[in-house]
Amino acid sequence: LEHEDTFTTTSGGLFIWSATVFKFLNDRPNKRKALTELLERDTSSAGPLEKLYSLYDNILKTAFSKFTPGEMETMRRTLAIIYVSSTTTPLPASAIAAFLQSDAETVEYIVRALHAVLYVEQINCAIRAYHPSFLDYLRGKESEDGWDPQNYIHRLMFENGFAVMLEKLKFNICGLKNAFLLNK
């Protein structure tokens, strides 16, 4: 590895930085050029955490560059749902898609584009962040950009919940023989 010293210095001793770089480079057509560009962006005065967040910035910018404006909004919403649900019950792509009133293929495409920071569990297909530092990074983005995933998702839940109720609710939803009799 020709950049071994720079790589080691830039990682700041954080294994997650190194692991994320290798995942990020995995799908790059010219890995050597991509690595050189990453290492050239190094700001030596920055601490290890700032360097990790800079790497996350680069990953998001690279992923966003592939998307149309509509897909970028879906990506932002997908990240918000992953952020909010990650501490309780991570959701699979199909649940995120239903929640966003989108299709699972789009959500899966977004997760593949962010493969350096997100993965899909084999058992229940839930989407998770590889490392809690990515979720911390997203939380930092919330104050930086005025983006508040908690409020964002709660607003989406409110709006989409009403939309589903308006579309799906009907009289005698359970299909009872006589909906006027009391259930015991």
Side-chain angles (χ1 to χ4, degrees), residues 90-115:
L91 302 171
S94 58
I96 292 171
F99 187 63
L100 295 175
Q101 297 180 340
S102 180
D103 58 293
E105 291 80 23
T106 301
V107 174
E108 290 166 358
Y109 176 67
I110 290 167
V111 172
R112 280 192 306 275
L114 295 172
H115 70 278

Side-chain angles (χ1 to χ4, degrees), residues 13-21 23 52 55-56 116 130-133:
L14 294 178
F15 177 77
I16 190 61
W17 186 91
S18 303
T20 304
V21 165
K23 289 180 199 119
L52 180 62
L55 175 61
Y56 291 155
Y130 275 111
H131 197 265
S133 63

